[in-house]
Amino acid sequence: MELIAQFFEELYHRTGWNFSVLYNAWEAKKYVNGIYIALELALWGLLGAMIIGALCCFLRLVRFAPLRWLVTAYIEFFRNTPGLAQLYFLFFGLGSYFQLSTYGQNGEPPFLSPFKFVVIGLSLQYGAFVAEILRAGIEAVPKTTKEAAEALGYGRWAALYHIVMPLAFRISLPALGNNMAQIVKSTAMAYAIAVPEALYVAHEIWTEHFNVIEMMNVVLLTYLGMMWIFTLIVRLIERWLHVPGMGR
Amino acid sequence: MKAENATPQVILKDVRKSYGQLEVLKGISMSVNRSEIVSIIGPSGSGKSTILRCINALAPVNAGSINVAGIEVNDPKLDERALRRRVGMVFQSYNLFPHRTVLQNIMMAPLQVLKQNRADVEQRARALLAKVRLSEKENAYPGELSGGQQQRVAIARSLCMNPEVMMFDEVTAALDPETVKEVLTTIRDVAAEGMTCILVTHEMRFAREISDTVYFTDQGRIVESNNPKDFFENPQDDRTKAFLDKVL
Ligand SMILES: Nc1ncnc2c1ncn2[C@@H]1O[C@H](COP(=O)(O)OP(=O)(O)OP(=O)(O)O)[C@@H](O)[C@H]1O
Ligand SMILES: [Mg+2]
């Protein structure tokens, strides 16, 4: 650590390349905290997306048609509009209209912090994708498999729970993994409503030192690293759930 | 076997079934006694599978009545679970659950549908695995087995529900000639224990050897039925003759 800091301080004095986060302890701490917030956003968003996705997928199987239409409308809306626009809609639109994102008259803190808005935004956006992926997975379970379950006395929901869902989840996993990894990148939109995640902190740093190019490199490599870790975790889950000979 | 124990166990009376405009079953009547072995043969599309699917209520009928072991299948208040625990069905495409091991496949329905005691089910499942000569495969996944092995597991899975009637729908049609034999041997064992069996098959020699009664279907009707000797040696209807000329 000491060595790295010394090296980059040297580098700055000799060449003018100013990677200030790598030797300035205070900035480093802030930046690490930014990364931490980004990861936190990604994990909460992922959890929310999975819950919303599974719920929507489930609601679409219900026989009551208006409910299915409502869910479909939500999915179409959130899949086909930009994430940043959705966040603005939630934060500046709904948030201020219902006074969820604004300070109270006597300076009471807002009901929902910007951090929570980003989590909600990510959950809604990615939940729509998860719902679609899970549905495709359910449709990929062969009809004959469902029929065999029926012939063994399974009812509709029991077959869904014991047979169709476990199979659909395994079928969906690669697509789910790819999609969920994208959530790491999308956390950067939190910048727009001043959540101090990695990009936001980097911005603060480069406005101070005018080292935009250096900081942009640091930021991009950070995201690359986070994506890499995320992808690795997905691989591990895939291996853990792998069934010998399935999909042959 | 038929003469000494002649209680009808499956009775179809003038069963009619349509898919949209297409009438697939045009008045099917048959009666199968306890421990009787019945084969249904006939050209492709003549409605053989549909008869089986109507018997265990996988396909609802449009008219007529079906009674299985005292259960009225066409009753709107039909208890499907009660029916299906009495009627086992094995499919051409095996339809094992790929995410569960061989032993789990056999135990699933008795545990999850019938809520039976695990120790009892496990004991029964192991005995059945031994019977289909696959004890050493109990921890394998379906994807790791040959077609013939998968089909024998599927038979064991059905038998573990302790059915009173077993239905086999062209269960050897997807197998290569060497493995056909092992599956037929298994069916022979099941039949020899006094199980009522209804089988749809293209294996004429097997049908002749094992059956008490052979039914010939063509275009949704039963054209002819007889004991196997007379059926194969002295067919009455021209359509039966033409069919047998083609396949024998
Ligand atoms: N789910 C369905 N929807 C529409 N038509 C169907 C359906 N299932 C079967 N049919 C039609 O019903 C007719 C009888 O089909 P069935 O599967 O009972 O024939 P089969 O005698 O078993 O033929 P095979 O020997 O090819 O298995 C066919 O014309 C088929 O196209
Ligand atoms: Mg058929």
Side-chain angles (χ1 to χ4, degrees), chain B residues 175-189:
Chain B
L175 303 175
D176 38 16
E178 308 95 84
T179 39
V180 166
K181 239 170 130 185
E182 65 192 33
V183 173
L184 293 185
T185 305
T186 305
I187 297 176
R188 217 175 266 127
D189 292 345

Side-chain angles (χ1 to χ4, degrees), chain B residues 130-231:
Chain B
K131 194 159 116 182
V132 299
R133 289 178 295 277
L134 283 173
S135 292
E136 77 284 0
K137 294 288 186 191
E138 80 170 46
N139 291 319
Y141 284 89
E144 301 174 303
L145 302 181
S146 74
Q149 291 171 332
Q150 289 191 53
Q151 195 58 293
R152 284 184 281 153
V153 174
I155 292 172
R157 180 177 68 175
S158 266
L159 288 174
C160 203
M161 298 288 280
N162 282 331
E164 295 169 29
V165 181
M166 281 290 283
M167 306 197 293
F168 300 89
D169 190 359
E170 292 188 36
V171 294
T172 56
L175 303 175
D176 38 16
E178 308 95 84
T179 39
V180 166
K181 239 170 130 185
E182 65 192 33
V183 173
L184 293 185
T185 305
T186 305
I187 297 176
R188 217 175 266 127
D189 292 345
V190 173
E193 284 177 7
M195 177 73 73
T196 309
C197 294
I198 303 175
L199 31 122
V200 170
T201 184
H202 286 309
E203 302 281 333
M204 295 303 150
R205 274 215 314 204
F206 182 66
R208 179 170 185 169
E209 167 213 320
I210 199 174
S211 311
D212 298 307
T213 312
V214 179
Y215 286 83
F216 177 73
T217 54
D218 189 37
Q219 300 189 355
R221 289 199 174 83
I222 290 175
V223 174
E224 183 166 356
S225 70
N226 213 335
N227 66 69
K229 188 170 186 304
D230 291 332
F231 180 88

Side-chain angles (χ1 to χ4, degrees), chain B:
Chain B
M1 232 175 257
K2 188 178 174 183
E4 66 202 44
N5 205 352
T7 28
Q9 202 172 20
V10 179
I11 309 163
L12 283 78
K13 279 199 193 121
D14 201 29
V15 170
R16 285 165 186 277
K17 164 80 192 162
S18 304
Y19 284 112
Q21 297 292 326
L22 180 72
E23 190 166 45
V24 178
L25 300 183
K26 300 168 182 159
I28 297 284
S29 297
M30 57 195 288
S31 163
V32 183
N33 290 330
R34 187 175 293 278
S35 295
E36 189 178 355
I37 315 293
V38 160
S39 294
I40 304 174
I41 63 174
S44 181
S46 60
K48 306 181 296 292
S49 299
T50 307
I51 294 174
L52 299 193
R53 292 163 47 81
C54 288
I55 290 174
N56 76 348
L58 281 180
V61 304
N62 298 89
S65 76
I66 301 177
N67 191 296
V68 179
I71 298 176
E72 208 44 65
V73 177
N74 205 8
D75 186 342
K77 293 193 297 282
L78 167 73
D79 180 354
E80 287 179 348
R81 209 190 306 177
L83 172 68
R84 286 174 186 154
R85 68 175 296 180
R86 286 179 175 75
V87 188
M89 181 153 177
V90 185
F91 302 83
Q92 179 177 335
S93 49
Y94 338 128
N95 304 346
L96 294 177
F97 305 128
H99 61 305
R100 291 281 175 256
T101 65
V102 164
L103 189 66
Q104 287 168 341
N105 260 276
I106 298 174
M107 293 173 58
M108 273 169 84
L111 291 178
Q112 294 167 350
V113 176
L114 303 179
K115 316 271 185 226
Q116 289 174 342
N117 174 286
R118 176 172 281 276
D120 297 347
V121 173
E122 191 163 337
Q123 198 183 7
R124 214 161 67 222
R126 288 233 162 77
L128 284 166
L129 260 185
K131 194 159 116 182
V132 299
R133 289 178 295 277
L134 283 173
S135 292
E136 77 284 0
K137 294 288 186 191
E138 80 170 46
N139 291 319
Y141 284 89
E144 301 174 303
L145 302 181
S146 74
Q149 291 171 332
Q150 289 191 53
Q151 195 58 293
R152 284 184 281 153
V153 174
I155 292 172
R157 180 177 68 175
S158 266
L159 288 174
C160 203
M161 298 288 280
N162 282 331
E164 295 169 29
V165 181
M166 281 290 283
M167 306 197 293
F168 300 89
D169 190 359
E170 292 188 36
V171 294
T172 56
L175 303 175
D176 38 16
E178 308 95 84
T179 39
V180 166
K181 239 170 130 185
E182 65 192 33
V183 173
L184 293 185
T185 305
T186 305
I187 297 176
R188 217 175 266 127
D189 292 345
V190 173
E193 284 177 7
M195 177 73 73
T196 309
C197 294
I198 303 175
L199 31 122
V200 170
T201 184
H202 286 309
E203 302 281 333
M204 295 303 150
R205 274 215 314 204
F206 182 66
R208 179 170 185 169
E209 167 213 320
I210 199 174
S211 311
D212 298 307
T213 312
V214 179
Y215 286 83
F216 177 73
T217 54
D218 189 37
Q219 300 189 355
R221 289 199 174 83
I222 290 175
V223 174
E224 183 166 356
S225 70
N226 213 335
N227 66 69
K229 188 170 186 304
D230 291 332
F231 180 88
F232 284 103
E233 286 173 10
N234 190 16
Q236 299 299 309
D237 196 280
D238 287 341
R239 280 174 287 179
T240 320
K241 286 177 192 163
F243 179 77
L244 289 177
D245 275 344
K246 248 190 294 175
V247 298
L248 287 179

Side-chain angles (χ1 to χ4, degrees), chain A residues 131-205:
Chain A
E132 275 299 285
I133 292 170
L134 287 180
R135 186 178 71 153
I138 286 181
E139 276 167 11
V141 174
K143 231 185 127 220
T144 51
T145 305
K146 296 177 204 164
E147 205 159 65
E150 240 185 292
L152 284 167
Y154 283 91
R156 187 171 136 89
W157 296 109
L160 198 69
Y161 179 75
H162 290 294
I163 293 145
V164 177
M165 274 302 198
L167 287 174
F169 186 69
R170 284 175 174 83
I171 295 169
S172 308
L173 203 59
L176 220 47
N178 286 341
N179 207 270
M180 289 294 100
Q182 305 301 313
I183 219 171
V184 175
K185 292 195 276 177
S186 290
T187 56
M189 76 181 180
Y191 170 90
I193 57 172
V195 176
E197 44 68 60
L199 182 62
Y200 188 86
V201 174
H203 174 88
E204 280 185 328
I205 294 173

Side-chain angles (χ1 to χ4, degrees), chain A residues 64-208:
Chain A
F64 186 59
L67 200 62
R68 289 204 309 266
W69 298 333
L70 202 71
V71 173
T72 308
Y74 150 70
I75 291 170
E76 287 304 308
F77 183 77
F78 276 87
R79 277 176 68 217
N80 297 312
T81 50
L84 189 57
Q86 291 165 14
L87 184 63
Y88 279 174
F89 172 73
L90 289 172
F91 188 75
F92 296 116
L94 296 182
S96 29
Y97 186 79
F98 295 107
Q99 300 180 353
L100 302 170
S101 58
T102 46
Y103 281 88
Q105 277 161 339
N106 310 317
E108 302 99 338
F111 181 69
L112 286 172
S113 63
F115 179 91
K116 284 179 185 155
F117 267 100
V118 178
V119 169
I120 292 170
L122 288 173
S123 302
L124 286 172
Q125 187 193 351
Y126 281 87
F129 284 101
V130 171
E132 275 299 285
I133 292 170
L134 287 180
R135 186 178 71 153
I138 286 181
E139 276 167 11
V141 174
K143 231 185 127 220
T144 51
T145 305
K146 296 177 204 164
E147 205 159 65
E150 240 185 292
L152 284 167
Y154 283 91
R156 187 171 136 89
W157 296 109
L160 198 69
Y161 179 75
H162 290 294
I163 293 145
V164 177
M165 274 302 198
L167 287 174
F169 186 69
R170 284 175 174 83
I171 295 169
S172 308
L173 203 59
L176 220 47
N178 286 341
N179 207 270
M180 289 294 100
Q182 305 301 313
I183 219 171
V184 175
K185 292 195 276 177
S186 290
T187 56
M189 76 181 180
Y191 170 90
I193 57 172
V195 176
E197 44 68 60
L199 182 62
Y200 188 86
V201 174
H203 174 88
E204 280 185 328
I205 294 173
W206 80 55
T207 32
E208 190 159 321

